[in-house]
Structures are given as C-alpha cells and as structure tokens.
Amino acid sequence: MNSIKSVPARVLSRRGGHSLEAEREQFDKSQAISISKAINTQEAPVKEKHARRIILGTHHEKGAFTFWSYAIGLPLPSSAILSWKFCHVLHKVLRDGHPNVLQDCQRYRSNIRETGDLWGHLHDRYGQLVNIYTRLLLTKISFHIKHPEFPPGLEVSDEVLEKTAGTDVNNIFQLTVELFDYLDWELKLSESVFRQLNTSMAISQMSAVQCRLAPLIQVIQDCSHLYHYAVKLMFKLHSCLPADTLQGHRDRFHEQFRSLKNFFKKASDMLYFKRLIQIPRLPESPPNFLRASALAEHVKPVVVIPEEAPEDEEPENLIEISTASTTEPQVTSDIFEQTFGPPNGIRDDRDAQIESLKKEVDMLHAEMEKIKLEAQRYITQLKAQVNSLEGEVEEQRKQKQKALVDNEQLRDELERLQRVKQDSDRSQRLCAEAEKKANATEIRYTKLKEKHSELINTHAELLRKNADTAKQLTVTQQSQEEVARVKEQLAFQVEQVKREAEMKLEDQSVQMEQLRQELDARRDELDQAQRLLSQAKQAGVELNAQVEALHAEKEVLRRSVSEKECELLSTRGLIEEKELQLNQEADKATREICELQGRLLEKSNQEQSLQQKLLDEQFGILQETVREAEGILRDAVAKLDDPLHVRCTSSPDYLLSRAQAALESTDALENGHAQYVASMADAAGLVGALALFAHLTADTIVNGSATSHLAPTDHADRLMETCRDCGQRSLDYLGKLKDKKTLGHAELGDVRQALRGVLQLAQELRPKSLDIKQEELGDMVEKEMASTSEAIEDAVRRIEEMMSQARNESSGVKLEVNERILNSCTDLMKAIRLLVMTSTNLQKEIVESGRGAATTQEFYAKNSRWTEGLISASKAVGWGATQLVESADRVVLHTGKYEELIVCSHEIAASTAQLVAASKVKAEKSSRNLGRLQECSRNVNEMAANVVASTKSGQEQIEEKDTMDFSGMSLIKLKKEEMETQVKVLELEKRLEGERVRLGELRKQHYALAGGYDAVEDGEAKPAPAPRRGILKKPPLAQKPGHGEPERDPGSYPPHGANF
C-alpha cells in the first residue's frame, strides 16, 4: 500500500506552495471521489471509509454544500440501486454530519421527494424501497426542523425530553403523535426490506443482500431512541389524561411494539448484523401505562456499535496526482520509442528540443486539464447555487404572498366568527329567556284555561239544575191550578144539583098541592103520585150519597193540596239556597274571569313586546348580514386594483359558470326579499339568499378580474369596468336594505343587468369549440370510440400478418427479435383494446347516472368540453395504434428505425393516459368500472414498457458495435482523432440543442391548438407554466449543459378556476 512518503519531491514542493484555493480544490476533489465511490450502481453495501470521509467533509466545511453540489448531478432517475445508496449515505450524513447539514437538506427537500415519487411509480423492487426511504428521510428532516431540541442522531437526555414536552398536555399529545409517525416510517422501511429478502443465515452474507440490509443499522439506532421517548411520553400522557381518551394511542403503541420486537428479533438472528451492531432486546410484553409504577420497570434500549480495526485507506488524491505526473511521461516515452526507435546514445540539439517540447506539451496538457476541471467544477457549483437561490427566493416569495393572503383571510374570518359568536350568544340568551317566559306563561294560561273550563261546566250544570227545578215548580203550579179548577167544577156541580133538587122539590110541592086539590077528584092518580114520591126519595138518597162521596173526595184533595204546598215550600227553600249558592259562585267566577282577562291582557302585551323584539332582532340579523355582504363585495372590488391579484388567472368558462350562478341567486334573493317584506318576523330566507348572493357575486367579480388578465386589452377593460359596476350596483342594493324606509322598494334590476353584462363578456371570451353541433356530440363520441376499437382490431390483425410474414422471410436472430417485438406489440394492442372497452362501459355508466330525464345526446351536449376531451383522446389512441403498426412494419422490413417504435409506445401510453383522465373526470370514486379502467391503464403502461424493452434489447442484439481498437495509432494520429471527435461532439450538441428548441416550439403549438394557450389580441401567447425543477445532472467535461423544453403531462387539462 502506497503512503505519503512515496509521493515525488516535486509534488510535495508544489503542495507546499498551494494557497487556500488549492486546499479547497483538493478538498472538493477528495469529496467528489468519496461520493462517487460511495454512491454507485454496484449492488454492494456502502463502504464505511467512504461514508466517513463524506461525514468528515461536512464537519470540515460546517455544512453539506459540497455534498449536495455533487449529489444533484448524480443520475438518480437512471438507477434504483444508485438512488438507494444515495438515501443510505444521506441518512448517515444526517445522523453523524455537522448540525448545519439539516438546514442544507431542508433546501433540497424537493429533490428528495421527486426521486421518491419517480421510483414509487415504477414497478422495481429497489424503486419501492427508495420510495419508502425518501419518505422516511423527509419525515426525519421535518421532525428535526420543527423540534431543534432533538438532534438528527436522536440522542437527548430525559431532562431535555421533559423540557421539550413541557406541561401543556396538547403539546405532549402532538409530540407523541409525531414520534409515532416517525417510528412508523422506520418500521415500514425495515418491513419492506425483509419482505424482499429470505432471512436465512447464508443469504445474509451475499453482497446483494447486504446492499439492502446496510441502511437498517441506522434504522435500528433511530428506533431504539424513538421507542424510549415514546414510552416516556405515553406515561406522562396517562398521568394527565383519562385512560379512555388514550385508547387509540395505546393500540398504536402496542402495534408498533410488536413490529419493532419482530424487527429486532429478525435482525439479531442474521450474521451480517452480529459483527456490526449489538441489537438490544425488548421486554416480552409492552409497558402497562395504566399503572404509573411500571415506569420504574422500563429499561432504555441501548444500541452498541463495536469498534472496528481501521481499514487500510488509500490516499487516492495523492496517489492519483503522483501517478498522473509520473506515469504519463512514461507512457509518452514508450509511444515515442515505439514510433522512432530507441535512442542510440547520441543526443543532439533536436533531441533536447523535442524532449523540452514534450515536457512543455505535457505541462500545458496537465494545466489545461486542471483548468477545465476547475472551470467545470466552478460552473457546476455556481449553477447549483444559482438554482438553489432562485428556488429559495421563489419559494420565499410564494410563501410571503400566501402568508399575506392567509393572514388577511384568517383575520377577516376571525372577526366574522367573533361577531357571529357574539350575535349567536346574544340571540341564544334572548331566545332562552323568551322561551322560559313563554313556557311559564303557557303553563299559567293552561291552568287558567282548565279552571275557566271547570267553572263553565259547573255553571252549566247549575243552570241545568235550575231549569229542572223551575220545570218541576211549573208542573206543581199547574197541578195546583188543576186541583183548584176541579174543586170549582165540583162546587159548581153541587150548586147545580142543589138548585135542581130545590126545583124538583118545588115541583113536587106544587104537584102535591095539585094532588091535594085533586085528591078528591083524582084518587086514581094518588098511587102514581106516591110512586113518584118514593122515586123522588130514592133519588134524594142517591144524591146525598153522591154529595157525601164528593165531600170525602174534597177532603182527600184538600190533604193532597196541603202536602203539595209543603213540598212546594221546601222546593222553594232549596231553590233559594241554590240561587244563593249560584250567585256566590257566579260572583267568584266573575272575579276570576276579570283576573284572567287582566292576565291575558298582560300576556298579549308581553307577546306584542316579544314580537316587536323578534322583529328588531330579525332586522338586526339582516343588517349584520348586509354589512358582512358589503364587506365581501368591497373586498372583491378592492381586488380589482390589487397589484398582488395580477398574477391570478381564470378561464372564461369558469367565469361563465360563476356569473350564471350569481344571476340565478338573484331570483332566490328576490323571493326572500318579498317574503321578508310580507312577514318581517322571518328573515331566514332573505339572510341565506343574501349570503349566497354576496359570495357568488364576489366570486364573479374576482374571477372576472382574473379572466381579464388573459383577455385582449379591449375586452379586459370592458370586463374590469363591468365587474366594478356590478360591485357598485350590488353595494347600492345592499345600502337600500339597511334602511327600513327604502327596504321595501329595493330592486335587483340594475344588479341583474350588470351580471348579464359579465355573462355576455365571458361568452365572448370563451374559446371557439369544435365546429360540431351540440346535438351531434353524443353520436360523435360513440363513432370515435367505435372507430378506435376498429383501428385497434385492425392493428392486431396486421401485426399477426406481419408475424407470419417475418417467420417466412427471416430466420435466426432476426426472427427471434422480430417475434419478440411483434409479440410485445400484440400484447400492447390487446391491453389498449381492453382499456377502450372498459372506458366505453365507464362512459355509459357516467351518462346513465348523470343524465337524469335527459337523453344521451343532451347529456353530451350539456358537457361539451368533457365530450370534446373524450373525442380528442379517442382519436389520439387510434392514431397512436396505427402509427405503432406502421413503425413495427418498417422495423420488421428493415426500412425503419427502432426509435420510432419507442416513440410510438410512449405516445400510446400518453394517449391512453389522456383517455383515462378524461373518463375519470365525471366518474364516481366507488365505481367498479373506474377501478377496472385504472387497472387497464397500469396494464397498458406495463405493455408499453415491454415494447420499449424488447425494442432496445433487439436493437442491441442486431446492431454491431465497433471494438474501438486504437493500439496501432501514433500519438499524432490519436491527437488528430481526438480533435475530430470533439468537433463531431460539438456539432452533435449543437444539432441536439436545435432539435430540442424545435421540439419545444412544436409542443407550444400543440398546446395552443389543444387550448393550453390563450391567444391575446397582439399575437403574443401566454407561456406555459415553468417546468418542475428536477434533479440536475452534471454535464461531462467537453459538453455544454443543455436545457430542454419542459414536457407536459398528456393527460392534463387547462384549469377552469382562478389560480391563486
């Protein structure tokens, strides 16, 4: 092994004269060599000595600037193993490097994220590990930036942990959640590594397996500290919060404990880890956080890294310098001897001149190479610094603008919420008091109503009893009058009988006198007279018997009359008592009724006051809403003159939808206004409609201003003035709502007129669509999908014909290559055909679920932009399939290029991605057809990748490469060939740059035709968004760094909303 002593004296003398710049150059070169040896594509673990030199370099320069200046030039997207080893080295640098490394890594978060996202989308075993590892590194950087008390090595004392957690239970809770998230990514990385490996004892000694296992040493170190801190914080949380509240934390900790214990057990069983790290043992069961004394039983897991014998380190920098300085003249000398023969021992002046010239050439060559390296390094560093500073400045500017907007929005939102909260609290209190009073009044009113009903029933019952008693009295009086009448009739009959008897007696006495006078004359009539007399006596006896019977009946009637009179007297007493009682109850009921009437009058007064209060509150709520609406509209109008709003843009279609919604909201506002004017006790409809109107009108004004930024000058000025006029007329209308006198006369005619003006200008600014009638769009979609399916089937048929023709006309390697390429093309066509069928089913599902009562053509016409996107995507898929078949035909016939197949495969993948994106726009997330479509899209990408892979392998298999044997060339010839090669390289670079510029212009024109550019009146176009800054690759020495045009996702669509 060479040492510093073996360096030539002239090198040491030159080193002694070096300045700080030379030392810096030496340091940069050493770091570049260490980084290139540590991060390479070999599937072997990173050597510790190279990682240690990189870490020492960060402590030497107090940061990771040099590391990142070389790291961003690594071709990470080209190799998953290279990305995996980069993540491993970055993890070690974060843990053991200088503290300022964390801030440097924070500036390159986007590079780390892009690397992980790139490999996460590819089906590569290392790629999946790289995706998880980058997420772990991003989580680590975010955690330590947020909590600077924790160093990246995670070694802090318990006192620092207690101080960081503090006494606020919310901070402890949040810190515990962040530690759990941190530990989750560590465990997820270990589980992914073990899932890809067979954990047998023999496999762990293979270099390919050790390449995957090496980063787990840092994961074990991190996990031991994170587990200890999580246990401490969990015990502290359980001392502050109830156990039920922390049930989710305990479940998550138990799951992490099981995963960590399994990870430690698997790692300790592997021979690879046994000589590199001493893994701690975890307890059999997790700590019992419900028992506070269990904290004393917790033992902190300690990871021990055994001290290794220092590896033999080769001073690469010195050896390379000495080797370059000593061996290069030797090689030159050998070539010279081979060319001109060995010297004959006689040295003339020409030999001395040749030798001196050779030395000068060598020195100049070395100096030129040195200057080139230094210039290239400085250019790379300066470019990296400029890019990073530009990125930081742009990010800071965006963050500042976003912070200003967010601060203003949060302030307005806070004020609004405070006002709403105060109004809500006041309204709730008033409503509660009014509800309590209303409930009490309702209870009293219910009791009075029940008492009043009871009195009415009692009064009615007494009236019925009085009526019955009066009726009985009337019946008694009638019977008494009838008895008197009978008595008078009997007396009259008795008098009549007496008069008849007297008259008969007189007649009898006359007859007796006549008989006496005629006694002598009429003896014969004496017997007759005696008989008549006896008859008269018998009649008198009968009359006396009748008189006696009448007397007896009279006595009976007299007794009955006396009884009736007694009953009548008793009834009259009862009636008088009842009347007295009724009078008393009536007086009492009258007094109670008077009291109830007074209370009812008082309640009606209270209800009137509450009604008036309710009206005032409703009017107050309306005024608050009006003021809030005025604030929203004034803020929107203010944005018309806000310079910060100039960067915001919007599309005429989105402005058209907002203006239409605002115009429709005026109808609801007018109905709510009419309802409120009719009944001012309910302002809910007007308040809701007013809030909706304010928001939609403000949204229309803001989007109108954003749309004017991309519109021609004339249209932009008219649109700005129309939006300002719309805002002013809306404010005038709201001003009328603030006064009760003008509230009933407020009209929305001027506001509607202004909104119609905005709507008309938005309609004028809309880009012209396809020259297809709206009713023909539905048929157009079905025709395009059918033609696409036919084109794919025709492509499959043509590929089969080409395969049979290739089998007949070729053999050997060419036949094998052609069959592999055509088979991959056939698989791709089948995958595309399945995707088109699935897309057709999904579109039918979207139409059936979204058209309602409308027809399919009406649905497509209503969603014309979406329909046109489907038509465009379908055409692109069919055209791509046709081009792929034609390219494959030319390749099989050896008249085309393999690159055409690769480009066609990429174009088909992009077209199918556009078709999938257009189909997903209106699909539901839970749709089964959507899931099948996404699966078919992934299958198409895999088949396209297979076509590219088979094409590249076939190209490499068929094309013959030169062996590049330069052994027979002289020095002058080699120099000449080198210069010619450099000239060709520069020509090709210039041509490549010109082709890239042409490709960019072609894509700009394609985006302009597809609607990506909004043409302005003076002929200029709005530039496409700046390309996403990816990982920059360091250019070679003899090569200029080229800047290609940005590529755009073929499935993307121009935004329809304001870009804030």
Side-chain angles (χ1 to χ4, degrees), residues 121-340:
H121 295 308
L122 300 177
H123 298 281
D124 185 87
R125 303 190 70 184
Y126 269 102
Q128 300 300 321
L129 297 179
V130 170
N131 183 24
I132 299 173
Y133 209 166
T134 54
R135 291 177 181 241
L136 168 59
L137 293 176
L138 292 174
T139 304
K140 185 179 185 68
I141 294 171
S142 301
F143 179 84
H144 295 293
I145 288 292
K146 185 176 182 181
H147 303 286
E149 299 85 2
F150 291 87
L154 289 171
E155 293 182 0
V156 295
S157 60
D158 293 341
E159 291 78 14
V160 176
L161 179 63
E162 292 288 333
K163 183 179 178 181
T164 304
T167 57
D168 189 0
V169 68
N170 294 323
N171 293 338
I172 302 172
F173 193 95
Q174 183 63 27
L175 182 58
T176 306
V177 172
E178 291 173 359
L179 284 175
F180 283 165
D181 295 339
Y182 198 166
L183 187 57
D184 276 339
W185 283 112
E186 300 275 0
L187 295 174
K188 188 175 293 183
L189 177 62
S190 64
E191 291 173 359
S192 300
V193 171
F194 282 121
R195 193 181 301 118
Q196 292 188 10
L197 299 178
N198 182 6
T199 57
S200 64
M201 302 295 286
I203 292 181
S204 65
Q205 301 304 313
M206 296 174 61
S207 61
V209 176
Q210 292 177 0
C211 183
R212 290 183 173 91
L213 294 178
L216 297 186
I217 296 176
Q218 284 72 40
V219 174
I220 293 171
Q221 291 175 319
D222 289 347
C223 288
S224 63
H225 293 293
L226 292 174
Y227 169 77
H228 174 65
Y229 302 152
V231 172
K232 301 285 285 186
L233 292 178
M234 283 292 288
F235 274 109
K236 192 168 185 178
L237 275 178
H238 279 77
S239 64
C240 301
L241 294 175
D244 295 337
T245 306
L246 300 173
Q247 181 63 42
H249 272 48
R250 288 198 301 275
D251 295 341
R252 188 174 182 184
F253 178 85
H254 291 163
E255 183 178 354
Q256 289 183 347
F257 176 85
R258 289 190 295 271
S259 180
L260 183 61
K261 187 175 179 63
N262 187 24
F263 169 41
F264 281 1
K265 184 176 182 303
K266 288 182 179 179
S268 60
D269 293 337
M270 302 183 76
L271 291 177
Y272 174 71
F273 292 106
K274 288 184 178 180
R275 66 181 182 85
L276 297 176
I277 187 171
Q278 183 178 344
I279 303 173
R281 290 186 176 274
L282 296 181
E284 292 298 325
S285 59
N288 186 7
F289 299 112
L290 302 179
R291 183 168 56 89
S293 60
L295 178 59
E297 303 172 3
H298 170 65
V299 179
K300 179 180 179 180
V302 179
V303 177
V304 179
I305 303 294
E307 295 183 0
E308 297 181 1
E311 298 178 3
D312 294 332
E313 300 183 6
E314 295 181 5
E316 288 87 359
N317 298 336
L318 297 176
I319 295 304
E320 286 179 359
I321 293 173
S322 62
T323 304
S325 61
T326 57
T327 60
E328 188 174 340
Q330 183 66 30
V331 172
T332 306
S333 177
D334 294 340
I335 297 174
F336 184 81
E337 290 179 359
Q338 290 176 3
T339 306
F340 299 101

Side-chain angles (χ1 to χ4, degrees), residues 726-756:
C726 178
Q728 186 60 42
R729 292 186 179 184
S730 301
L731 290 174
D732 294 340
Y733 172 76
L734 295 177
K736 293 181 181 179
L737 295 181
K738 296 172 70 174
D739 191 2
K740 291 185 177 180
K741 295 180 180 179
T742 60
L743 189 145
H745 305 289
E747 296 292 339
L748 284 167
D750 296 339
V751 179
R752 285 197 180 99
Q753 184 178 358
L755 287 174
R756 290 191 183 99

Side-chain angles (χ1 to χ4, degrees), residues 338 416 783 970:
Q338 290 176 3
R416 186 181 67 79
K783 290 179 181 177
S970 63

